[in-house]
Amino acid sequence: MKTVYADLHIHLGQTETGRPVKITASKNMTLRNVLEHASTQKGMQMVGIIDSHVPEVIAELKQLIRSGQATPCAGGGMQYQGTTLILGTEIEIYDQHCLGPIHVLCYFPTLEEMAAFSHWMTQYQKNITLSSQRSYVEGRILQRKVQELGGLFIPAHIFTPFKSLYGKGVAKSLGEVFEPNQVEAVELGLSSDTSMADSLLELQNYPYLTNSDAHSLPKIGREYQKMSLSEADFQHLRQALLGQGNQRIEANYGLDPKLGKYHVEVSRRVSQLAADQSQLYQGHPRDKPIRPPYIPQVPLEYIPGLGPKTLNTLVDTFGSEMNVIHHSTKAELEQCVPGEVASQIIAAREGRLVFEQGGSGKYGKVKNYEA
């Protein structure tokens, strides 16, 4: 089995020719830059680029294959250096069953399925060249198409106040908008964690994903999951989500919810939903599955005193940010960074950091650490 660090929600800012993709993302978030940074700087073995539906991005991916820089995986996905690319798209849906926009993530095994999906979406979406555009397709119709093409359907950042399933006044229950048995997983978002989501009865049997929703290169890997897979490809990812074989999610690494910029609002909303669902839930409560641990993880850029030059020194020494975060010892760290920075990296790993709480659109920050 292989240890795979996976961040499955990464945006592109523009194409190689300079055409915009995700308007709010950095212009240096091109396909090549994202793949190179994820592989060499971050040390991610799997990434989901969720703007892969854009026709010019599909053309760029085909060119990477023709040039030999990327190789299709037998089990789905594409191999680029040490990283597997999972082809994904983020859709903003409006339909008669929801009061506001909902973002969902759809993933497909190959470029052929992604191209077919992109073409199909042109009847519901005015501008297929941009990311997360308003799409007038019912959730259940979208799910059926994703299933037909062998894809994965995952509601995105489900508790974010805006553009999410459980956002402000959108839905009280997943079943109001989607077919529950055609949802493979749910994405928690930056202001919630496993314990918060588990207070909702209807979510108890869905696996949780923790992803960065990166709009800039440094934000790649600020949330991710550690997986145990036979191969880092689409089919083994699917098996891990469905609990098949011995493929599994070992741990979710995410921001401490207190650092999330909507933590206060999300906490209140989760409490309200939990109370509502105790009355609304029509299923039969089952024993909760044994969940992987949710491990609060502070990105290295959050560590006080750890600037870009110091971060580059750490990556040069240990090979990647994942190696710094998970495998460096304090003694090794002290060989290349100040002792206080080394102590805070270890404190972050051990969950001993003290935070200033975020909310109202403002991220929290690290204040200190417990000795």
Side-chain angles (χ1 to χ4, degrees), residues 5 39 45 68 144 152 192 211 234 245 257 263 265 330 342 347 362:
Y5 293 113
S39 180
Q45 287 79 30
R144 287 197 291 271
L152 298 169
S192 62
N211 299 312
F234 181 89
H263 173 62
E265 296 88 339
K330 186 176 181 182
K362 182 181 178 180

Side-chain angles (χ1 to χ4, degrees), residues 275-311:
D276 290 341
Q277 285 199 6
S278 67
Q279 304 297 322
L280 294 173
Y281 188 66
Q282 299 299 313
H284 298 285
R286 297 171 291 275
D287 291 335
K288 290 183 179 180
I290 299 175
R291 290 205 179 277
Y294 183 99
I295 301 175
Q297 180 62 64
V298 176
L300 293 175
E301 65 171 324
Y302 278 68
I303 301 295
L306 202 165
K309 290 184 179 180
T310 303
L311 180 56

Side-chain angles (χ1 to χ4, degrees), residues 58-118:
I58 292 174
E60 290 177 7
L61 289 166
K62 290 180 178 178
Q63 179 56 35
L64 284 179
I65 293 173
R66 285 194 296 268
S67 67
Q69 297 176 71
T71 306
C73 300
M78 294 171 56
Q79 188 71 28
Y80 180 92
Q81 296 183 17
T83 300
T84 299
L85 162 62
I86 301 297
L87 303 162
T89 178
E90 184 172 36
I91 305 294
E92 181 174 306
I93 64 170
Y94 284 72
D95 72 26
Q96 61 180 326
H97 303 292
C98 58
L99 300 176
I102 297 175
H103 281 196
V104 298
L105 304 171
C106 308
Y107 301 94
F108 299 95
T110 70
L111 277 173
E112 289 73 23
E113 281 95 2
M114 178 56 78
F117 179 78
S118 177

Side-chain angles (χ1 to χ4, degrees), residues 252-294:
N252 294 106
Y253 288 88
L255 294 179
D256 187 299
K258 296 184 184 67
L259 287 172
K261 62 181 180 179
Y262 299 119
H263 173 62
V264 175
E265 296 88 339
V266 167
S267 181
R268 291 172 181 166
R269 179 63 172 154
V270 170
S271 296
Q272 177 188 24
L273 288 165
D276 290 341
Q277 285 199 6
S278 67
Q279 304 297 322
L280 294 173
Y281 188 66
Q282 299 299 313
H284 298 285
R286 297 171 291 275
D287 291 335
K288 290 183 179 180
I290 299 175
R291 290 205 179 277
Y294 183 99

Side-chain angles (χ1 to χ4, degrees), residues 133-153:
Q133 291 297 288
R134 183 172 296 186
S135 305
Y136 295 95
V137 56
E138 289 192 9
R140 289 178 175 85
I141 293 175
L142 178 61
Q143 285 180 288
R144 287 197 291 271
K145 189 61 179 181
V146 172
Q147 188 175 54
E148 174 190 322
L149 293 172
L152 298 169
F153 184 89

Side-chain angles (χ1 to χ4, degrees), residues 314 317-318 323 327-337 342:
L314 287 169
T317 302
F318 295 99
N323 285 337
H327 305 300
S328 59
T329 67
K330 186 176 181 182
E332 291 170 337
L333 289 168
E334 289 175 337
Q335 295 299 311
C336 57
V337 298

